[in-house]
Structure formats: structure tokens, C-alpha cells
Amino acid sequence: MGSMGKALPATVDEIRRAQRAEGPAAVLAIGTANPPTIMPQDDYPDYYFRVTNSEHLTDLKAKLSRICNHNKSGIRQRYLHLNEELLAANPGFIDPKRPSLDERVEMASAAVPELAAKAATKAIAEWGRPATDITHLIFSTYSGARAPSGDRRLASLLGLRPTVSRTILNLHGCYGGGRSLQLAKEIAENNRGARVLVACSELTLIAFYGPEGGCVDNIIGQTLFGDGAGAVVVGADPDAAVERPLFEMAFATQTTIPESEDAISMQYSKCGMEYHLSSKVPRLIGCNVERSLVDTFRTLGVTAAWNDLFWAVHPGGRAILDNIEEVLGLEDDKLAASRHVLSEFGNMSGTTVIFVLDELRRRRAAAAKQGGETPEWGVLMAFGPGITIETIVLHTPSNPELEGN
Ligand SMILES: CCCCCCCCCCCCCCCCCC(=O)SCCNC(=O)CCNC(=O)[C@H](O)C(C)(C)COP(=O)(O)OP(=O)(O)OC[C@H]1O[C@@H](n2cnc3c(N)ncnc32)[C@H](O)[C@@H]1OP(=O)(O)O
């Protein structure tokens, strides 16, 4: 042991106590971004069958038109990276049997971190501290089939410190946002002063195919998914001079639904990414969501009336929200933020729940301005392959001056 500097504390416990934060981790800022192309949902069947040269598949087109209809799907529009020009330049993306993984990964390796950087730049600006104060980065995507991955590129684009501690989550699908926030909570509460940047960026270009072959999963995917990135700064013990806690993360759990392993799957192939969504997904989630919530609150030693809470639920599809609403007996407006995000952006996989948090804080700020009361406690839930349910119990600080950029 050298003789310079302060002596080490006497025990490992003292070192641990000195490292831990005092208070709970909180969401300190939120930013979102989408690619520029907007696709109205009711135009999508015509667009999709035209750009994939598949007008002859009339039955499949009729089916997509039926499911896509915005009244049925609950989706009004989506944002897309892959536009008509990019598809014309990459005709291999249209044929589900033609090897195209290399070209897709090449495109995603640039576009995924770039979109994440747009969302993160907004979050960091709202946070009010320099990007170099970020100590940890958690990056989640289903398009990251390369190393070094998008997290490293994102750190460079944002000018983060070389000492920033990076973690990438890949293929978590729609629970990537929930998982990232849970990890950020652990890091922030166990590392005094840590400021964790969570970034999720999902572009469907890795899994876009024409309808040739008649795969129904593809038709469901074409109905639901859209492109977007969301970023959140998480930290404990906020500096009151600059930082405003939006949502404190009081408690977090993960549950796996028994016998549901095959219900949602994603896998890289030489042709891109294949995925499967069972038609049982809405029912499986509906049947298990209350058990998971009861267990979460029981661990906390409390019970909760579901309608006394606010809700940030991943809008995996209209049927999933309908099932949850029915099973929990939620009042009409309880899932309004989730339904709004589904309507305006579609299902952006792991990113979507960050958009829901952003929408919720906007709605809460608007209600506060009009002197309305909003619940102090709430729940974030996200679902994905497994089937995995991520649950975070949220608490809002007393002064919800929450309007975002
Ligand atoms: C613009 C960009 C496009 C790019 C696309 C590229 C896509 C890339 C995506 C890659 C990402 C993959 C990530 C996977 C991880 C997902 C994680 C989650 O969100 S987890 C959550 C994931 N989300 C979900 O799982 C979505 C949950 N589902 C829903 O919300 C609704 O079912 C609905 C909105 C899809 C349809 O509503 P509604 O119209 O009221 O429903 P009805 O009951 O009346 O059925 C109508 C017709 O559809 C049929 N059919 C339905 N489902 C399935 C199925 N899975 N299977 C087969 N068929 C299905 C049904 O049989 C019927 O057929 P027909 O009799 O007419 O012939």
C-alpha cells in the first residue's frame, strides 16, 4: 500500500455505504426522436403492396387492410426510416428469401445510434448538465448485430467521457425500455453521483420484408411496428439547483409468464430478423398482469386500488391494452397516454414506453396547470419475449412542473 493520500476507510461496509446514494433513482429528463417519413396508417396497405411489387397478392392485401384500419389497430400513423428511395436502392430487403443481413446491419449500424443521439441530445438539454457528466450508458436495440455496437458510436456522437461505463441490451424487443430503466435504477442507487443515460433505438429496417410467402407474422408486424428512439437521464439525490425529478422509481420487478416461451420470438437469419407473435399474446398478458402487479405490491407490503394509480403501459397492440384495461377494471382514461402513443407512433418496441412516460408527464403538467389532481403513485409495465413482464412502481414528486421540450 502506498503512503500518499487519505487512508482507506476501516471496513468494506463503510466503503459500500459511502458509494451508495441516499435517495431513490429518478427520471430526470426525457427526449424522443423519429425518422422524418410519416406514414398514415390507412395509406399503408396500398403503399406496402406497391413498393414491394405485390399487388397480385390480393387476399393478403385485403387482410392487411382489414387489420391495419386505424379504428381496429388503434394506430393513426407511424414513422419510418426505410422509405421508398431506400427500398429502391436495396431491392434485396423486399424478398424474404434473399440474403440481405449484411446490408441491413450496415444501414442499421449508422442509423440506429444516430436516431438515439437525436433523442439523447434532447434529454441532455432538458437535464441541464453537460453530456460529460453522464457516468453510465445503457443502450437497447434489436438491431445491434455488430461489435463494437451502437452504444460506442452513440457515446462518440454525444461526446461522452471515455470513462463512461457502457452496457448494451440486444433483442430484448418490447421490454428493452423497461429493462434498461430497471438497470439504470440499480446503477444510480448503488453509485453515489451516477448519472445514467438510457437510450433505446428501434428501426424496423432489420425485419422489413415483402408479403411473398404469406407469413402472417409479417402482416401483423406490418400493421403494428414503427421506428423511434427514446432517451432518459436517470440519477438519485438530484441537485436541486439544476435537476428536476419527473418520476421516482420506487421499486422494480421482472416476471416471466409460465409456458409462454414460444409466444414472442425474434431471431437473426441471413435474410434479416425473423419474428413471431402468437395470436395468444394479448390473452397471455391479460391473464397474468394482475398476478404480477399483486406480487409486486405485496413485496412492498402494500395493496393498491388500480384506479388510484397512473399507468405507463407498453402499447404492444390495441388488443393488449384492451385486455389489460378489462382485467384490471381500469377507467377509460387510465391508459390514455399509452393509447395516444400507439395511435401517433405505433409499437416502437422497447422505445415505446419512454414515449409513454413523456406523454404522461405532459398530460400531468397540463392537468396541474388547470388545477386538476393526478395520482401521486403509478406503474410502468412493459412486455416482450419470454413472455417477460417488467414492472416499475413510480412516484411523482409533489411539484409536477413537468412540461418537456
Ligand atoms: C411501418 C413499418 C412496418 C415495418 C414492419 C417490420 C416489422 C419489424 C418488427 C420487428 C420487431 C419485432 C419485435 C417483436 C417483439 C414484440 C414485443 C411486443 O410488443 S409484444 C406485443 C406484440 N403485439 C402483439 O402481439 C399484437 C397484439 N394484437 C393486437 O393488438 C390485435 O390482434 C391486432 C391490432 C393486431 C389486430 O386487432 P383485431 O383486428 O381486432 O384482431 P382480430 O382478433 O379481429 O384479428 C384480425 C385478424 O388478424 C389475425 N391475427 C391477429 N393477431 C395475430 C397473430 N399474432 N398472428 C396471426 N394472426 C393474427 C386474426 O386471426 C384475424 O385474421 P382474419 O380472421 O381477419 O383472417
Side-chain angles (χ1 to χ4, degrees):
M1 183 81 45
S3 58
M4 301 285 287
K6 245 169 99 179
L8 279 173
T11 67
V12 172
D13 273 353
E14 280 173 14
I15 295 176
R16 184 169 170 275
R17 270 199 299 278
Q19 281 177 336
R20 286 194 61 141
E22 301 289 329
V27 169
L28 301 174
I30 306 173
T32 64
N34 298 93
T37 305
I38 302 181
M39 176 60 61
Q41 183 80 346
D42 290 341
D43 296 351
Y44 192 67
D46 280 343
Y47 168 83
Y48 175 63
F49 280 79
R50 179 170 56 75
V51 296
T52 59
N53 310 313
S54 308
E55 294 286 8
H56 56 290
L57 300 172
T58 48
D59 286 354
L60 277 179
K61 185 173 176 189
K63 181 156 181 151
L64 180 65
S65 302
R66 233 175 17 248
I67 309 175
C68 248
N69 180 297
H70 75 272
N71 290 322
K72 280 215 127 195
S73 62
I75 299 170
R76 193 177 69 86
Q77 61 178 30
R78 290 175 282 168
Y79 291 79
L80 305 176
H81 176 83
L82 209 51
N83 56 25
E84 204 159 350
E85 293 72 44
L86 285 172
L87 276 173
N90 295 275
F93 287 14
I94 289 168
D95 181 352
K97 299 252 163 8
R98 192 155 131 192
S100 56
L101 184 63
D102 288 354
E103 291 87 335
R104 290 175 196 264
V105 169
E106 190 65 31
M107 196 184 283
S109 296
V112 167
E114 275 163 22
L115 193 63
K118 285 191 179 141
T121 301
K122 288 186 197 166
I124 290 168
E126 185 197 344
W127 174 43
R129 288 175 55 180
T132 44
D133 284 1
I134 295 290
T135 55
H136 297 73
L137 171 64
I138 300 172
F139 186 53
S140 177
T141 183
Y142 58 65
S143 314
R146 177 185 273 184
S149 307
D151 59 326
R152 190 192 188 290
R153 176 82 184 124
L154 176 61
S156 307
L157 288 170
L158 296 173
L160 304 186
R161 278 189 283 170
T163 52
V164 77
S165 181
R166 293 179 282 107
T167 305
I168 182 150
L169 306 182
N170 193 18
L171 283 181
H172 283 58
C174 299
Y175 74 99
R179 186 88 299 252
S180 302
L181 287 168
Q182 293 213 22
L183 285 179
K185 169 177 164 59
E186 304 299 337
I187 291 170
E189 290 173 0
N190 282 293
N191 296 274
R192 188 181 285 259
R195 288 297 176 262
V196 188
L197 176 65
V198 166
C200 302
S201 184
E202 310 287 21
L203 297 184
T204 50
L205 69 89
I206 205 84
F208 177 95
Y209 306 101
E212 199 67 56
C215 172
V216 186
D217 296 289
N218 181 38
I219 293 297
I220 299 298
Q222 298 298 333
T223 303
L224 292 174
F225 292 104
D227 295 347
V232 167
V233 179
V234 172
D237 306 332
D239 172 352
V242 262
E243 296 179 320
R244 286 181 313 157
L246 303 175
F247 299 101
E248 290 164 336
M249 293 190 270
F251 189 65
T253 60
Q254 184 188 79
T255 311
T256 307
I257 299 179
E259 293 169 34
S260 65
E261 205 171 336
D262 301 328
I264 305 175
S265 60
M266 304 153 79
Q267 182 170 329
Y268 287 115
S269 76
K270 60 185 186 309
C271 306
M273 191 183 81
E274 293 167 11
Y275 57 93
H276 166 64
L277 296 172
S278 160
S279 54
K280 295 185 190 134
V281 168
R283 196 176 51 76
L284 279 166
I285 293 174
C287 291
N288 286 278
V289 77
E290 188 157 33
R291 173 84 276 138
S292 172
L293 283 163
V294 168
D295 288 349
T296 300
F297 280 92
R298 183 178 297 139
T299 313
L300 279 178
V302 294
T303 53
W306 306 138
N307 278 308
D308 289 347
L309 304 171
F310 66 85
W311 293 84
V313 176
H314 167 61
R318 194 219 72 237
I320 292 176
L321 294 179
D322 290 352
N323 266 269
I324 292 175
E325 195 173 86
E326 189 184 328
V327 167
L328 300 180
L330 295 179
E331 288 155 9
D332 274 359
D333 63 339
K334 284 289 167 185
L335 297 184
S338 300
R339 288 195 194 277
H340 176 81
V341 169
L342 182 67
S343 166
E344 299 308 299
F345 302 95
N347 177 348
M348 298 167 289
S349 200
T351 303
T352 326
V353 82
I354 296 178
F355 279 66
V356 175
L357 281 181
D358 196 26
E359 180 61 24
L360 255 180
R361 61 94 169 248
R362 250 193 298 276
R363 285 171 184 248
R364 293 177 66 83
K369 267 188 198 140
Q370 289 171 0
E373 295 227 335
T374 45
E376 195 179 328
W377 291 88
V379 174
L380 177 150
M381 294 194 100
F383 323 97
I387 292 175
T388 308
I389 304 182
E390 300 280 353
T391 308
I392 305 181
V393 178
L394 300 172
H395 177 257
T396 46
S398 54
N399 178 18
E401 194 202 323
L402 302 174
E403 192 61 43
N405 310 328

